[in-house]
Amino acid sequence: QVQLRESGGGLVQPGGSLRLSCAASGSIFSIRDMAWYRQAPGKQRELVAGLSDGGSPYYGDSVKGRFTISRDNARNTMYLQMINLKPEDTAAYYCNGVLAPTHHKTVFQTYWGQGTQVTVSS
């Protein structure tokens, strides 16, 4: 099976930093698009950052200048480097990917991770 798994969340003080990872596992032939979303209690889910294969990254307005998205294709892993974290960054962060399984090399499907919690508090 194809699976995305986030890691790296936790509790951090305001102004601190965290790096989230999203590892893709299973029978994967190709990864086209990857993105990070987040959702805080009582708020709508929002796009944090996205990166298409060969394209330039996109960031939500609230995280521009503080977050950086990147991919390591050799490891089938995506990262979200977060600096100068603020209490309003507190949310569950989800990995999203558009992948082609090995047995369906021309069929791209959307996958979601289970989420990792980021809490910014003093």
Side-chain angles (χ1 to χ4, degrees):
Q1 64 176 11
V2 174
Q3 188 172 6
L4 303 181
R5 291 185 176 181
E6 303 94 337
S7 62
L11 176 65
V12 64
Q13 294 184 351
S17 301
L18 283 174
R19 188 180 74 161
L20 305 183
S21 299
C22 173
S25 62
S27 300
I28 300 171
F29 176 75
S30 179
I31 302 176
R32 188 177 71 186
D33 303 317
M34 301 291 289
W36 288 97
Y37 291 78
R38 70 183 182 187
Q39 186 169 20
K43 301 183 67 176
Q44 295 182 342
R45 177 175 292 190
E46 64 174 333
L47 176 67
V48 177
L51 183 62
S52 298
D53 188 23
S56 58
Y58 169 83
Y59 299 96
D61 290 339
S62 63
V63 306
K64 287 181 179 178
R66 299 188 298 118
F67 291 9
T68 302
I69 188 173
S70 62
R71 291 172 59 175
D72 186 339
N73 291 332
R75 297 177 181 269
N76 285 337
T77 302
M78 176 179 65
Y79 304 95
L80 184 67
Q81 182 68 56
M82 306 183 293
I83 65 171
N84 192 24
L85 284 162
K86 306 176 183 296
E88 51 264 41
D89 294 319
T90 297
Y93 285 71
Y94 296 91
C95 176
N96 172 266
V98 180
L99 316 173
T102 298
H103 296 293
H104 302 277
K105 296 179 179 179
T106 62
V107 179
F108 285 85
Q109 302 175 359
T110 300
Y111 297 86
W112 289 90
Q114 82 287 351
T116 185
Q117 180 68 36
V118 173
T119 301
V120 184
S121 176
S122 60

